Amino acid sequence: MRTLIAIPCMEQVQTEFARSLVNMRTVGTVQYGFLGCSLVYHARKELSKIALQTNADYVLWIDSDMNFGPTLMEDFLKAMDGRDMVSGICHMRHPPYRPVIWKHVKRGLLPEQTELDPYDDYPDEIFEVEACGFGAVMMRTEVIRKVAETFHDTFGPIPGFGEDLSFCVRARECGFKIYADPHIQVGHQGSLIIDKDTFRAFMGLQE
């Protein structure tokens, strides 16, 4: 099994991310792809090409401001279990710190006609979503191949969407399903680590 760990980044990465990456246990043959670029969608496109060129079986996308435990890759491989694409749960860095997963996504002819319905709460077990951010996502490389062949594009932004949502829209139109695993919780490095507890505290939600 061959996996590309794809990391789009700027000129520097966060200290906590570097610590997390060094401590993460890997499985099978792993290649690391770092690509520094101010245009994130371009970095993701180029990393996608590397995955295809190196015949990777999986791509594990990790943003360079994520904080995670040593079992991240193992947890993703367990969650994949024949699935096309699985997201961990990470949260926006700014209030209200919502999870970066969506239960409904609709694109219109104009950006203002775009509809996004995010999750404030979600199931306790792995569940299907319509779109996710790419803070921490694993997918079969075949998803990238099919999206590229069908649309001649992968992460190029669709009007009204960023690069991550644009890829998800294309992947779903190709017939792939996207899931989120609530057991894979990933912190988002801002002025503090943003996670599920931060979000629930901000919203006044109790366990």
Side-chain angles (χ1 to χ4, degrees):
M1 182 189 73
R2 183 184 298 272
T3 302
L4 173 69
I5 298 178
I7 304 163
C9 56
M10 304 294 280
E11 293 182 353
Q12 298 179 341
V13 299
Q14 298 282 353
T15 302
E16 289 303 318
F17 167 78
R19 183 178 291 115
S20 296
L21 188 64
V22 167
N23 290 327
M24 184 180 71
R25 298 197 293 264
T26 59
V27 180
T29 301
V30 168
Q31 177 182 357
Y32 293 88
F34 282 89
L35 204 156
C37 182
S38 59
L39 298 175
V40 178
Y41 78 87
H42 177 72
R44 293 204 191 283
K45 280 186 176 183
E46 293 305 308
L47 288 164
S48 294
K49 292 177 184 177
I50 293 172
L52 295 172
Q53 291 165 357
T54 58
N55 294 315
D57 300 297
Y58 297 100
V59 180
L60 174 55
W61 297 95
I62 313 177
D63 279 354
S64 60
D65 55 358
M66 296 290 109
N67 175 264
F68 47 91
T71 65
L72 182 72
M73 185 175 181
E74 297 169 335
D75 295 340
F76 266 120
L77 288 170
K78 179 180 177 181
M80 288 296 288
D81 191 27
R83 297 181 174 94
D84 302 315
M85 179 173 165
V86 176
S87 173
I89 305 295
C90 55
H91 293 252
M92 297 178 181
R93 288 186 298 179
H94 306 292
Y97 308 121
R98 281 195 168 95
V100 191
I101 47 175
W102 288 269
K103 63 180 73 173
H104 174 67
V105 172
K106 180 181 178 181
R107 60 171 173 168
L109 296 176
L110 300 174
E112 58 267 25
Q113 296 173 323
T114 296
E115 296 179 13
L116 297 173
D117 187 10
Y119 282 88
D120 283 347
D121 202 2
Y122 46 82
D124 295 329
E125 299 298 330
I126 194 164
F127 58 101
E128 188 175 352
V129 299
E130 288 205 358
C132 62
F134 272 54
V137 173
M138 179 172 268
M139 66 177 61
R140 295 190 298 113
T141 306
E142 180 58 29
V143 179
I144 295 172
R145 189 186 313 279
K146 182 66 174 179
V147 168
E149 290 174 350
T150 303
F151 294 96
H152 306 289
D153 194 359
T154 48
F155 287 94
I158 295 169
F161 292 139
E163 68 280 349
D164 299 347
L165 282 172
S166 297
F167 184 91
C168 290
V169 168
R170 293 181 178 115
R172 287 178 57 82
E173 289 183 5
C174 286
F176 296 111
K177 293 185 177 182
I178 305 168
Y179 293 85
D181 188 340
H183 301 107
I184 303 176
Q185 295 285 333
V186 182
H188 198 169
Q189 181 78 52
S191 56
L192 68 162
I193 299 293
I194 303 301
D195 58 14
K196 176 183 177 182
D197 294 335
T198 314
F199 166 68
R200 294 185 69 83
F202 182 86
M203 298 296 287
L205 301 173
Q206 302 297 321
E207 293 290 348

